[in-house]
């Protein structure tokens, strides 16, 4: 039978996080939906044109007139794909900010109600100017990327590098998709957290850091940490000693691109005697995640092994079987399977 605090954590890591993801997805789709495929098409068309004019993908650029034609075609394609992009991204983010902050308020209120047993008054979401400024900066970001891409379209450069040089401009232009996605996702998360913070302030509570079960070794080091609402979480924490001390103190997640960590209200008065409190459950789950190596493929196995070794060294406070599992992995130098089991006995 899961405890009250365990249920709140599941609610935040599950449905609450999915609701945020839905706003992120919608925003990203409105801003850059289909753009990646368009860049692929532009690359393919460039290859086709190169072969048509010069004979093969490996062939050198022929005379100046033909090379000029290739460069003009690439420039046209890039300009076409950037047309209206900055404006679309800005509009998409502007539209998302209020719903995102409102979502944070309602999620924050729901958590407060579950933890205190009392209905929580909902403040209308407050949006910091900094977030609106991010939206306003997106056209500039897109324009900067476009110019940087076009600057690669120099005849001498492309003549020296061949088709690879011609494609480099499209590759650099395409970088705008990743940059916009990262900024949109980060800013939507910040808006949600702003709404949650508003609820925490309202309740006069402190804030606790909530990580996903397969979060990185840095975020797992923050799981269950409680600080005052207006204070920062300390910088530089990491289960992997090799990555410690490289970051500044931070007011709220996201801690890095693609970070799905959240904050929630916490007050020690809400703890139920004899039952692990929300911060304790989170810290224990984080230790278990380190011991099991649960993580995304984007993280290195070596980092997870260093983290597991550190956990064992500092006292894992976990069941013997879990500690043995971690020790075996450290001895073997790798975790065989790092996927967090969504259901079943391993999920506990
Ligand atoms: Zn995180």
């Amino acid at each position: 039978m899961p405890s009250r605090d365990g249920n709140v954590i599941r609610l935040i890591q599950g449905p609450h996080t999915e609701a945020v993801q839905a706003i992120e997805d919608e925003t990203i789709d409105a801003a850059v939906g289909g753009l990646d495929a368009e860049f692929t098409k532009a690359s393919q068309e460039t290859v086709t044109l190169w072969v048509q004019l010069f004979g093969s993908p490996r062939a050198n650029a022929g005379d100046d007139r033909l090379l000029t034609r290739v460069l003009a075609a690439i420039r046209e394609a890039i300009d076409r794909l950037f047309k209206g992009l900055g404006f679309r991204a800005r509009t998409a983010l502007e539209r998302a900010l209020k719903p995102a902050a409102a979502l944070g308020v309602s999620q924050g209120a729901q958590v407060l109600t579950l933890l205190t047993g009392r209905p929580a008054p909902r403040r209308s979401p407050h949006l910091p100017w900094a977030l609106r400024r991010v939206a306003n900066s997106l056209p500039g970001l897109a324009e900067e990327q476009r110019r940087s891409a076009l600057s690669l379209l120099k005849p001498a450069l492309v003549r020296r590098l061949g088709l690879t040089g011609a494609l480099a401009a499209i590759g650099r232009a395409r970088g705008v998709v990743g940059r916009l996605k990262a900024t949109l996702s980060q800013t939507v998360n910040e808006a949600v957290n702003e709404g949650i913070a508003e609820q925490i302030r309202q309740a006069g509570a402190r804030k606790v850091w909530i990580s996903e079960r397969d979060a990185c070794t840095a975020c797992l080091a923050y799981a269950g940490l409680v600080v005052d609402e207006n204070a920062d979480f300390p910088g530089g924490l990491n289960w992997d000693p090799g990555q410690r001390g490289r970051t500044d103190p931070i007011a709220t997640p996201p801690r890095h691109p693609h970070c799905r960590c959240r904050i929630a209200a916490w007050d020690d008065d809400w703890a139920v005697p004899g039952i692990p409190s929300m911060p304790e459950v989170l810290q224990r789950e984080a230790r278990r995640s380190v011991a099991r190596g649960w993580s995304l493929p984007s993280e290195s196995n070596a980092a997870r092994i260093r983290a597991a070794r550190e956990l064992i060294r500092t006292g894992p406070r976990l069941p013997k079987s879990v500690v043995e599992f971690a020790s075996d992995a450290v001895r073997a130098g790798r975790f065989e399977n790092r996927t967090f089991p969504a259901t079943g006995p391993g999920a506990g």
Side-chain angles (χ1 to χ4, degrees):
M1 180 74 184
S3 66
R4 177 201 69 185
D5 290 9
N7 282 330
V8 170
I9 294 168
R10 292 289 93 79
L11 174 72
I12 294 171
Q13 289 170 331
H16 280 191
T17 303
E18 281 156 27
V20 178
Q21 181 73 52
I23 295 186
E24 267 183 55
D25 289 349
E26 202 184 312
T27 311
I28 286 172
D29 193 48
V32 297
L35 197 55
D36 241 340
E38 292 284 329
F39 276 112
T40 302
K41 209 167 137 231
S43 297
Q44 286 162 349
E45 283 166 1
T46 302
V47 175
T48 305
L49 182 61
W50 190 278
V51 171
Q52 197 188 322
L53 296 181
F54 306 127
S56 90
R58 295 183 156 275
N60 291 327
D63 66 70
D64 283 346
R65 198 176 42 88
L66 296 181
L67 180 57
T68 305
R69 212 175 121 191
V70 172
L71 298 186
I74 295 173
R75 181 183 302 268
E76 245 169 63
I78 289 176
D79 281 345
R80 182 170 51 81
L81 295 180
F82 273 79
K83 197 154 185 253
L85 175 62
F87 176 77
R88 268 204 317 279
R90 181 177 69 194
T91 309
L93 184 54
E94 273 169 355
R95 286 205 181 126
L97 285 179
K98 256 196 175 171
L103 180 68
V105 166
S106 80
Q107 292 184 346
Q110 191 185 6
V111 166
L112 276 171
T113 303
L114 289 169
L115 290 174
T116 63
R118 291 188 303 274
R122 294 182 185 199
R123 273 281 186 87
S124 63
H126 159 81
L127 271 181
W129 276 105
L131 298 187
R132 294 188 197 278
R133 269 202 295 276
V134 173
N136 287 333
S137 76
L138 295 179
L141 182 155
E143 179 56 14
E144 178 199 291
Q145 192 84 18
R146 186 185 73 91
R147 283 191 189 174
S148 159
L150 293 183
S151 76
L152 294 179
L153 288 178
K154 292 198 175 70
L157 187 70
V158 178
R159 190 170 284 290
R160 181 155 57 80
L161 299 174
L163 177 58
T164 311
L167 292 174
I170 300 176
R172 185 173 291 178
R174 184 184 211 147
V176 80
V177 178
R179 283 183 73 193
L180 284 175
K181 274 188 185 173
T183 307
L184 293 169
S185 144
Q186 164 119 0
T187 314
V188 164
N189 274 279
E190 282 170 2
V192 172
N193 281 330
E194 199 54 48
I196 295 172
E198 191 81 22
Q199 287 300 109
I200 298 176
R201 274 194 287 277
Q202 170 97 350
R206 305 178 82 204
K207 61 186 175 190
V208 61
W209 187 294
I210 298 174
S211 299
E212 289 205 295
R213 303 299 299 272
D214 51 7
C216 65
T217 57
C219 288
L220 287 175
Y222 286 82
L225 220 59
V226 181
V227 299
D228 287 343
E229 191 282 322
N230 58 2
D232 285 347
F233 293 95
L237 301 189
N238 204 309
W239 270 109
D240 172 9
Q243 299 181 61
R244 276 181 192 157
R246 291 186 201 167
T247 57
D248 293 329
I250 175 173
T252 73
R255 199 182 165 288
H256 53 80
H258 311 299
C259 172
R260 302 250 165 265
C261 293
R262 314 288 306 276
I263 49 166
W266 180 252
D267 188 321
D268 283 338
D269 290 346
W270 300 339
V272 181
I275 294 177
S277 68
M278 193 147 100
E280 286 165 350
V281 173
L282 286 163
Q283 286 165 21
R284 185 184 173 82
E285 285 186 350
R287 292 200 302 275
R288 186 181 278 265
S289 290
V290 173
R292 289 283 182 186
W294 289 327
S295 45
L296 299 175
S298 50
E299 222 183 340
S300 86
N301 223 313
R304 299 303 301 211
I305 290 297
R306 286 194 298 270
R309 189 183 294 125
E310 180 69 0
L311 174 78
I312 295 166
R313 188 184 73 77
T314 52
R317 289 170 289 152
L318 288 168
K320 209 174 142 212
S321 62
V322 180
V323 179
E324 276 169 8
F325 181 92
S327 305
D328 286 348
V330 167
R331 255 194 305 280
R334 61 179 287 108
F335 286 100
E336 278 311 323
N337 178 5
R338 300 196 279 144
T339 309
F340 173 65
T343 52

